[in-house]
Amino acid sequence: MAATDVDIFSNEEKRNLSLGGHVGFDSLPDQLVSKSVTQGFCFNILCVGETGIGKSTLMNTLFNTMFENEEASHYLNGVCMRPRTYDLQESNVHLKLTIVDTVGFGDQINKEESYKPIVDYIDTQFENYLQEELKIKRSLFNYHDGRIHICLYFIAPTGHSLKSLDLVTMKKLDSKVNIIPIIAKADTISKSELHKFKIKIMSELVSNGVQIYQFPTDDDAVTEINSSMNAHLPFAVVGSIEEVKVGNKTVRARQYPWGVVQVENESHCDFVKLREMLIRVNMEDLREQTHSRHYELYRRCKLEEMGFKDTDPDCQPFSLQETYEAKRKEFMGDLQRKEEEMRQMFVNKVKETEAELKEKERELHNKFEQLKQMHQEEKRKVEEKRRDLEEEMNAFNRRKVAVETLSLAQPVKKDKDKKN
Amino acid sequence: MIERPESTVASIAQRNLEGYVGFANLPNQVYRKSVKRGFEFTLMVVGESGLGKSTLINSLFLTDLYSKDYPGPSLRIKKTVQVEQSKVLVKEGGVQLTLTIVDTPGFGDAVDNSNCWQPVINYIDSKCEDFLNAESRVNRRLMPDNRVHCCLYFIAPSGHGLKPLDIEFMKRLHDKVNVIPLIAKADTLTPEECQLFKKQIMKEIQEHKIKIYEFPDTEDDEDHKLIRKIKERMPLAVVGSNVVIEVNGKKVRGRQYPWGVAEVENGEHCDFTVLRNMLIRTHMQDLKDVTNNVHYENYRSKKLAAVTCNGGVDLSKTKNQMTRSPLAQMEEERREHVMKMKKMETEMEQVFEMKVKEKKQKLKDSEAELERRHEQMKKNLEAQYKELEEKRRHYEEEKSNWESQQRILEQQKLDASKTMEKNKKKGKIF
């Protein structure tokens, strides 16, 4: 008997088994990690803030390196996105860092459209990824991922509250990207003012329903530090690449006549906290959130827009093939219908014109029928006249003949008379 | 407005860090997250009954996957090839692994084994299909990875070479799943026989262009040496055992014979440790990656290509189509169709205009013709009228002439008769 019959025995219940020794799969995370390290990591930061608020300086300070930057002018027509990619390495870890700057943000008189280029850029990155994911032949594992993992929103240190531009922009971005608000140039605010400022900002964000990134507290190893940091948001930062000698150490700081603001001093500003949270502790979580939350939301909306559904009207789940086939059938049907419509339109046009021309022809014929009849009439009249004339002539001729015969006969009579 | 990125992938600027940044901690973050998520692995074993598949599984994972309560498929009677899966959850060192073992009892056991690989292929494809559907949903949630990551193929220790069934099976499955061939029950072969057997098998595998799982190249010298050693020992000759025996005071897993104990974990006795280290301790992740990046992508692109180009597949266009998603493909076809329709439209317009012009011309011609005839007839009539007028005038003239003549004659007659009367009266007549 041929062994072709299939009996697939699916046992889905999971049993817990205990191992009788060291098997060795506890090296799996290490295998995964070493693979990731070989591949290299990629991270994309978006800096949103007014011109001159210190975005480039902060990036330089955070990553301890001089990135290229020209000072931006205040006179640009609109907001311009400027992405730059760098290859960094720390011990054996390679990082492909992309920093996207918003040049010209907040400079225009009318700032209503300021958020648009930013949203468009983020969406474009999502779209590119989605397109790659949908390709028939795709190579996701060496795709250069440009999706923004974190948006640092720079708040101006007014000390009072958020500007309306800030609220509007953050509201537009909060469903598309992880936002961490930071207070820039924090060395212009005193400690007490700062405290009040932070509370005001957070309450405004909450009351306007802006969702900022919360450091995750579900992983035991980092719950404590993350939840305490969550309470310090927004971080008040100071950036500097200049080094100043303080005591017997050289630190990065800003030198004022009244003192030195040390960047890495936690009682001077929250720079270290930002660096800890952003890079050392939660970088991977930011990447994951971007992929599993923001990107999925974008993808879902896009697919629904295109008419894809997970279940058909009877709530039966669609298989991918069915979906594509249904789409294709619809599509082909649509094309055929368009073709038919066009043909039909032409047929109608032809009919119309034919009818028109026929009508003209008929009119022409009628006209000439009339003329013909007129002619007939005239001809008849002419014939009548001719006949009359003929008759008259005949009558005259007869008269003539009669008279002549009479005159011929008369002379004989006269002679006769004479003779008598 | 988006500026063109100043550093494209090809020319990314290098930067040196001048101090501590902290992203060297990224690997730890990845480690933590992966442990939290847990791992999954699906292992398939294929081979004739009695080759020791279940025993090997138990030995590999140092557990009783198949025990009295859950008897292995080999202890059950079956008439046809089955594909059976068992899921177990095992923990070690804080790492959780959901292990799925897929067994194929009945494989190669019938008298006529044609197509006995079909259920296996169907199983693998159905798992890929499940993943494809889950990946393509609009609402995607956690996608469990049930795809087969590795297939251990058991070769009977004949000592001569591969059987036709072995070759046929591996040829059909090598581009669907990672195939690792093993020599089963290797304790029936002496080391020399084993060497020859291995050489013969590798030769036949190369002859038939069978692609068995290949270890990835590595830059690390030490790893490279290790991998080369493994490669030289392929296919691995294994011995499995559920029984722990005491040898020289040590408790080892082995098979007790009158002439000695064949130890499972002794590298000189068999390649079991090599298999275990490779399969579990060093290359488990790579097996999953190859399944995801190569075999699954293969399956997916074939599946989607079939959906997109249903019907005739134009080879010249296929290359372009492959770089697009099916939707982009449809967009392209839509654009082509729009162009075609435009062309058709202009053509039809042209034909239409031409025909209308023709007809209008005809109408004009016939109008002109009729006009001409009308003119002609008018002229005719006028001529006739003129003729008639002429005649009448002529006649009138004649008549008036004759009448005046008659009148003169009458007058003469009257005069003559009057004179006669006069004469009569006078009596001149005698």
Side-chain angles (χ1 to χ4, degrees), chain A residues 279-295:
Chain A
I279 300 178
R280 230 184 59 85
V281 178
N282 296 304
M283 206 182 220
E284 183 60 23
D285 185 68
L286 287 165
R287 284 154 44 96
E288 209 174 288
Q289 288 284 319
T290 306
H291 180 67
S292 61
R293 205 151 60 90
H294 300 293
Y295 169 71

Side-chain angles (χ1 to χ4, degrees), chain A residues 243-367:
Chain A
E243 311 222 311
V244 173
K245 204 156 158 92
V246 171
N248 52 1
K249 280 203 300 181
T250 326
V251 290
R252 286 181 298 166
R254 285 174 66 76
Q255 176 123 59
Y256 289 107
W258 49 86
V260 176
V261 180
Q262 294 161 38
V263 165
E264 280 168 320
N265 187 330
E266 294 215 43
S267 58
H268 288 194
C269 72
D270 298 330
F271 172 82
V272 175
K273 294 197 180 72
L274 174 68
R275 187 179 59 195
E276 279 291 298
M277 287 292 99
L278 180 65
I279 300 178
R280 230 184 59 85
V281 178
N282 296 304
M283 206 182 220
E284 183 60 23
D285 185 68
L286 287 165
R287 284 154 44 96
E288 209 174 288
Q289 288 284 319
T290 306
H291 180 67
S292 61
R293 205 151 60 90
H294 300 293
Y295 169 71
E296 283 299 311
L297 180 64
Y298 175 84
R299 178 180 175 277
R300 201 176 335 143
C301 294
K302 203 66 202 291
L303 288 183
E304 277 173 4
E305 220 177 279
M306 293 201 278
F308 279 93
K309 284 191 289 283
D310 272 338
T311 58
D312 69 9
D314 300 318
C315 281
Q316 290 292 91
F318 265 154
S319 85
L320 175 73
Q321 193 161 1
E322 280 172 27
T323 313
Y324 271 133
E325 277 178 5
K327 274 231 153 253
R328 192 176 179 77
K329 230 190 330 197
E330 193 190 315
F331 172 71
M332 292 310 246
D334 197 41
L335 293 185
Q336 267 183 338
R337 204 168 34 85
K338 283 214 173 84
E339 225 170 287
E340 260 315 297
E341 265 177 30
M342 194 173 86
R343 273 217 191 103
Q344 197 57 37
M345 188 186 79
F346 258 107
V347 165
N348 287 349
K349 204 160 144 188
V350 165
K351 267 208 195 112
E352 252 177 54
T353 321
E354 249 181 28
E356 249 177 57
L357 288 176
K358 260 209 169 74
E359 184 64 31
K360 277 219 175 93
E361 224 180 301
R362 213 157 35 87
E363 276 175 26
L364 197 70
H365 270 272
N366 282 353
K367 181 164 125 194

Side-chain angles (χ1 to χ4, degrees), chain A residues 86-351:
Chain A
Y86 304 94
D87 238 339
L88 305 174
Q89 182 176 355
E90 194 175 38
S91 70
N92 63 338
V93 178
H94 284 269
L95 180 68
K96 200 177 276 184
L97 178 71
T98 303
I99 301 180
V100 185
D101 210 345
T102 50
V103 181
F105 188 76
D107 279 333
Q108 298 79 30
I109 296 178
N110 181 356
K111 296 182 265 239
E112 276 190 347
E113 306 286 299
S114 291
Y115 71 87
K116 276 221 182 91
I118 307 176
V119 170
D120 287 343
Y121 182 85
I122 297 175
D123 278 346
T124 310
Q125 303 309 311
F126 282 151
E127 182 65 31
N128 290 346
Y129 190 86
L130 181 65
Q131 283 306 319
E132 182 66 32
E133 215 190 11
L134 289 178
K135 276 192 195 165
I136 297 181
K137 248 197 162 88
R138 60 189 189 179
S139 53
L140 278 174
F141 57 87
N142 57 9
Y143 172 78
H144 176 63
D145 190 1
R147 297 174 294 180
I148 301 290
H149 300 119
I150 177 73
C151 169
L152 292 174
Y153 195 92
F154 288 70
I155 300 170
T158 58
H160 296 313
S161 62
L162 286 173
K163 300 196 189 150
S164 40
L165 173 65
D166 296 338
L167 279 170
V168 164
T169 311
M170 278 201 269
K171 195 88 181 94
K172 291 276 180 201
L173 293 177
D174 69 353
S175 58
K176 289 190 178 289
V177 71
N178 302 315
I179 301 182
I180 294 183
I182 52 184
I183 301 172
K185 297 198 171 174
D187 51 351
T188 59
I189 314 184
S190 75
K191 244 196 160 72
S192 51
E193 287 171 353
L194 186 63
H195 188 63
K196 275 195 263 172
F197 192 28
K198 282 192 182 184
I199 295 180
K200 190 79 208 296
I201 291 175
M202 289 313 277
S203 75
E204 277 197 325
L205 289 176
V206 166
S207 63
N208 279 286
V210 175
Q211 305 253 32
I212 58 172
Y213 176 72
Q214 295 290 338
F215 303 117
T217 48
D218 50 0
D219 188 353
D220 295 331
V222 293
T223 304
E224 231 185 271
I225 187 171
N226 273 348
S227 48
S228 84
M229 289 298 178
N230 272 329
H232 279 105
L233 283 173
F235 293 132
V237 293
V238 175
S240 170
I241 38 179
E242 276 148 18
E243 311 222 311
V244 173
K245 204 156 158 92
V246 171
N248 52 1
K249 280 203 300 181
T250 326
V251 290
R252 286 181 298 166
R254 285 174 66 76
Q255 176 123 59
Y256 289 107
W258 49 86
V260 176
V261 180
Q262 294 161 38
V263 165
E264 280 168 320
N265 187 330
E266 294 215 43
S267 58
H268 288 194
C269 72
D270 298 330
F271 172 82
V272 175
K273 294 197 180 72
L274 174 68
R275 187 179 59 195
E276 279 291 298
M277 287 292 99
L278 180 65
I279 300 178
R280 230 184 59 85
V281 178
N282 296 304
M283 206 182 220
E284 183 60 23
D285 185 68
L286 287 165
R287 284 154 44 96
E288 209 174 288
Q289 288 284 319
T290 306
H291 180 67
S292 61
R293 205 151 60 90
H294 300 293
Y295 169 71
E296 283 299 311
L297 180 64
Y298 175 84
R299 178 180 175 277
R300 201 176 335 143
C301 294
K302 203 66 202 291
L303 288 183
E304 277 173 4
E305 220 177 279
M306 293 201 278
F308 279 93
K309 284 191 289 283
D310 272 338
T311 58
D312 69 9
D314 300 318
C315 281
Q316 290 292 91
F318 265 154
S319 85
L320 175 73
Q321 193 161 1
E322 280 172 27
T323 313
Y324 271 133
E325 277 178 5
K327 274 231 153 253
R328 192 176 179 77
K329 230 190 330 197
E330 193 190 315
F331 172 71
M332 292 310 246
D334 197 41
L335 293 185
Q336 267 183 338
R337 204 168 34 85
K338 283 214 173 84
E339 225 170 287
E340 260 315 297
E341 265 177 30
M342 194 173 86
R343 273 217 191 103
Q344 197 57 37
M345 188 186 79
F346 258 107
V347 165
N348 287 349
K349 204 160 144 188
V350 165
K351 267 208 195 112

